[in-house]
Each structure stands twice: as structure tokens, then as C-alpha cells.
Amino acid sequence: MHLWHRDFDGTSVILCNDRLFGQTHSIAALDATSMKWLWSITEAPEGRLVPEVTAVWHGAVHGRTANGNVVLDARSGADRATPKLAPFLVNTCVGIENRGRSVTLMRSTG
């Protein structure tokens, strides 16, 4: 048994994922006020890929999959963008991605 990791987007959504040993098999979003279940993505053969969540900020879920980086809408789980980066730190202006020995910046989405 392992615990779920939780992130608050700073406005209205709590995002949970079951990251274990570097793999993510499920993510789910809850409304932060009512705790109502908003959406989830669970690993399934030939199903939608579950992104490895790298950051959550103001309505945007940033992450990466085997097919590339993605930004999901935190309230619906729908794809919003396919950015070049998957930032680990996001604020109102910038997202920061650590690429080993270098840091890359991008304009925030969300």
C-alpha cells in the first residue's frame, strides 16, 4: 500500500496522483471547496496516457507522457496545450524546468 501525492493549484483544485517508484498509474482531481470528484485518468491498455505530473498551478496541470509534454485543464482534465517544457515550478509569470545541468524557463500557461 502506498499513499497518494496531493497538490493544490492555488485556486480551486486538488490534484492527486499515485506516483510510485517513478511511475504514475492514476491521477484524479477534486474541487478544493466541496471535495467533489471532478475527473480522473487511470492507466489502461490502449487508453489515454497518464501524465507524470510535474507541477499544478492556477487551473493548469503540467506534466509529461511518452508522447511528450502536456498541459491539462485542472477542472476538466482536457488537454490545453502541448508545450516544449514540463516545468517543476510555476508561478503567474514563468514555468521552470530542470534539464540536468541547465534550467529552462517558459511563459506560464494557466
Side-chain angles (χ1 to χ4, degrees), residues 52-91:
E52 173 194 345
V53 176
T54 58
V56 181
W57 178 256
H58 286 209
V61 178
H62 301 267
R64 63 175 62 96
T65 71
N67 292 338
N69 301 325
V70 66
V71 177
L72 305 179
D73 182 273
R75 294 209 62 86
S76 70
D79 291 346
R80 281 171 89 180
T82 53
K84 293 181 181 180
L85 305 178
F88 73 92
L89 182 62
V90 181
N91 69 17

Side-chain angles (χ1 to χ4, degrees), residues 24-75:
T24 301
H25 302 286
S26 297
I27 59 176
L30 305 168
D31 180 273
T33 304
S34 69
M35 299 307 286
K36 178 184 171 192
W37 188 275
L38 298 173
W39 59 270
S40 65
I41 303 171
T42 300
E43 185 178 86
E46 299 181 25
R48 183 174 178 185
L49 294 176
V50 179
E52 173 194 345
V53 176
T54 58
V56 181
W57 178 256
H58 286 209
V61 178
H62 301 267
R64 63 175 62 96
T65 71
N67 292 338
N69 301 325
V70 66
V71 177
L72 305 179
D73 182 273
R75 294 209 62 86

